[in-house]
Amino acid sequence: MTQRVELATVMDRLAVDGLVTEYAVAVDDGDWAAYRELFTPDGRADYRSAGGIEGDVGSVAAWLAENLRLFSMRQHLIVNRRVRFGVREQDAGDTARVGADYVNPMRLAGHGDEGGAPDFVCGGRYSFGLLRTYDGWRLREVVVEEKWRRLPTA
């Protein structure tokens, strides 16, 4: 690899990592306009393993906006990111796959919003499919594989 190719790969890794972080922030902050902007026009998300829906980004964003109002606090911690670049139409590096583990503590609205331990915690693995566009890297697919959850205790 030449230094130019290595530098481009590092820059792509930083951009992809930034996109995954922006995804987490948009969901945690309930910024559904920002969430939609992170995706390609044909982008899809699948939250079925966590009790959600699968569909186009607009439908999923609307579902998230409605259902996540149950929680006054959300904080995705997305770690162990594994990035693999792929090939699209003979151009290396125009697609990427990211596998990343997550832990997501959430507080139920109206249940001790002043602080303390979260009421609900879940964890699992994300699979992100990304595409390089003229506007930069965008999400084409998000699949959640929830592996565990801890519910509130009485």
Side-chain angles (χ1 to χ4, degrees), residues 115-128:
D119 297 306
F120 180 94
V121 182
C122 61
R125 183 161 292 151
Y126 276 110
S127 177
F128 296 98

Side-chain angles (χ1 to χ4, degrees), residues 132-136:
R132 184 195 312 271
T133 72
Y134 289 111
D135 297 321

Side-chain angles (χ1 to χ4, degrees), residues 1-63:
M1 257 192 211
T2 67
Q3 284 184 325
R4 184 174 297 190
V5 170
E6 289 173 0
L7 178 59
T9 300
V10 169
M11 297 300 291
D12 281 335
R13 281 187 168 277
L14 289 171
V16 164
D17 188 66
L19 184 61
V20 170
T21 298
E22 290 300 322
Y23 165 86
V25 170
V27 172
D28 291 344
D29 291 350
D31 187 343
W32 306 116
Y35 177 89
R36 286 182 194 90
E37 288 295 317
L38 298 172
F39 285 81
T40 60
D42 63 343
R44 299 187 69 77
D46 183 348
Y47 293 87
R48 290 177 294 179
S49 77
I53 67 168
E54 185 277 332
D56 65 86
V57 67
S59 299
V60 171
W63 181 86

Side-chain angles (χ1 to χ4, degrees), residues 5 58 66 74 78 80 96 108 120 131 142 147 149:
V5 170
E66 178 66 25
R74 299 179 295 272
I78 300 178
N80 300 333
L108 291 165
F120 180 94
L131 179 66
V142 174
K147 294 184 175 190
R149 66 173 55 182

Side-chain angles (χ1 to χ4, degrees), residues 87-104:
V87 176
R88 180 173 184 249
E89 297 177 12
Q90 311 304 320
D91 290 327
D94 282 341
T95 64
R97 298 288 315 168
V98 178
D101 297 325
Y102 71 89
V103 175
N104 186 14

